[in-house]
Amino acid sequence: MSLALACPNGTNPWKEGETIYSIVVPKGGMDIDMAIDIDVYTKYGPGSWGTTQHIGNVDFVRKQLAVTPEFKSKITHVQRFHIPEGERVQIGIVGPQEYKGKVYPGGGVQVQIFNKKALEPIGEPRLLDNGHIDTFNDKLKGCT
């Protein structure tokens, strides 16, 4: 009988050479943003990863948080959560990911949540745009 752990088969979510902080959330708690697919979120609840940074669009999620289509095929909304004091989380810099030959650079700040049941939603999920600043204006071009 072997007690050895199986070799990992995933990719490292943390940036190589950066410190990963394992902390107990301090007094007052902490708030995070989490990118979600509203259909998956409605059915299964929140995921295990968030960020202390503001998520403004899908482009930020794909590039700064290195969320590949393999991890999340569809990103539609962002949900803000409060993590109460006393919960343990890990915080660090997102490492680059590669999927089907495309590099998702990372570099953002990520929070790994160990107890998803402790997450307290703040408000309703907010619809994200697809990352193109002028999407709405493009739709208006040619309208008279």
Side-chain angles (χ1 to χ4, degrees):
M1 177 176 163
S2 173
L3 296 177
L5 294 173
C7 291
N9 60 0
T11 57
N12 184 1
W14 307 102
K15 186 172 183 181
E16 200 67 39
E18 292 286 337
T19 302
I20 303 165
Y21 298 93
S22 179
I23 67 162
V24 174
V25 175
K27 185 175 182 169
M30 71 185 299
D31 295 343
I32 61 164
D33 276 1
M34 184 181 292
I36 61 172
D37 171 345
I38 194 68
D39 296 327
V40 173
Y41 175 72
T42 301
K43 189 171 182 177
Y44 299 106
S48 298
W49 296 90
T51 182
T52 56
Q53 296 175 285
H54 172 75
I55 297 176
N57 58 46
V58 174
D59 196 49
F60 177 85
V61 177
R62 295 284 185 214
K63 290 180 180 175
Q64 296 299 305
L65 302 179
V67 177
T68 70
E70 178 183 25
F71 300 146
K72 266 190 177 79
S73 60
K74 190 169 74 169
I75 300 166
T76 60
H77 291 73
V78 62
Q79 175 65 58
R80 191 139 181 86
F81 287 100
H82 180 75
I83 304 173
E85 65 183 80
E87 292 296 326
R88 180 162 295 278
V89 297
Q90 289 190 147
I91 302 174
I93 303 299
V94 178
Q97 302 295 316
E98 188 174 338
Y99 178 68
K100 293 189 175 182
K102 181 175 179 178
V103 175
Y104 297 78
V109 176
Q110 66 186 353
V111 178
Q112 185 177 18
I113 300 112
F114 296 110
N115 180 12
K116 297 188 296 184
K117 291 180 180 178
L119 292 173
E120 302 167 0
I122 300 172
E124 295 297 317
R126 176 174 45 86
L127 183 65
L128 284 177
D129 70 38
N130 64 8
H132 300 290
I133 295 170
D134 56 355
T135 315
F136 182 72
N137 289 336
D138 284 347
K139 290 178 182 175
L140 292 178
K141 285 181 184 171
C143 293
T144 55

